[in-house]
Amino acid sequence: MRTTLKPRSATARPSAEDALAIARTIAPSQPPAQVTDIDRPATLNLRFRSSTVAALTARAKERGLTLKQVVSHALADAGVAVAEADMEDRTPRRRGG
C-alpha cells in the first residue's frame, strides 16, 4: 500500500507554535521570516468600451508602454499617488527567442 507524504486533513497540520518549534530545530541559526512588503499587488478589473481600449492600445504602442503603464501614468498625472512598481513594465519575457 502507498503512503503519502503530505497530510490530507487540516487536523494533521502542525499548529503555528509547533511549526515554529520544528523550524527552530531544523535551522536554529535561520532568523524568522520578516514580511516587509505591506503594499502587496491587488487586482483592479476595469471594463471599457472597445473604442476606448483601442485608443489606449494605440497610445501604448506609440509610447512603447503597456496598457497598465498608460493607465498608471494617466492616474499619476491626475494627482493619484501611484506606486513606482506600477509604473514599470513588469511583463514576463520569454527565454531564448
Side-chain angles (χ1 to χ4, degrees), residues 1 8-9 12 20-21 27 32 36 57 61-63 65-66 68 76 85 92 96:
M1 185 152 95
R8 293 286 181 188
S9 67
L20 283 172
T36 58
T57 301
K61 285 182 181 179
E62 286 172 12
R63 297 174 63 188
L65 301 172
T66 65
K68 178 182 172 184

Side-chain angles (χ1 to χ4, degrees), residues 38-94:
I38 294 175
D39 192 11
R40 295 186 301 235
T43 301
L44 172 64
N45 186 4
L46 301 172
R47 184 176 288 276
F48 290 108
R49 299 283 178 205
S50 58
S51 59
T52 303
V53 174
L56 283 168
T57 301
R59 179 57 56 101
K61 285 182 181 179
E62 286 172 12
R63 297 174 63 188
L65 301 172
T66 65
L67 289 173
K68 178 182 172 184
Q69 285 178 300
V70 171
V71 172
S72 296
H73 285 277
L75 289 171
D77 291 346
V80 176
V82 177
E84 198 62 39
D86 290 329
M87 305 286 270
E88 299 171 1
D89 181 359
R90 300 183 52 87
T91 306
R93 303 292 181 227
R94 292 185 180 195

Side-chain angles (χ1 to χ4, degrees), residues 2-8:
R2 223 179 198 183
T3 58
T4 60
L5 298 177
K6 289 185 178 181
R8 293 286 181 188

Side-chain angles (χ1 to χ4, degrees), residues 11-42:
T11 57
R13 294 182 183 194
S15 67
E17 293 79 20
D18 291 340
L20 283 172
I22 292 167
R24 284 189 198 104
T25 303
I26 301 295
S29 62
Q30 183 74 24
Q34 300 289 321
V35 178
T36 58
D37 188 18
I38 294 175
D39 192 11
R40 295 186 301 235

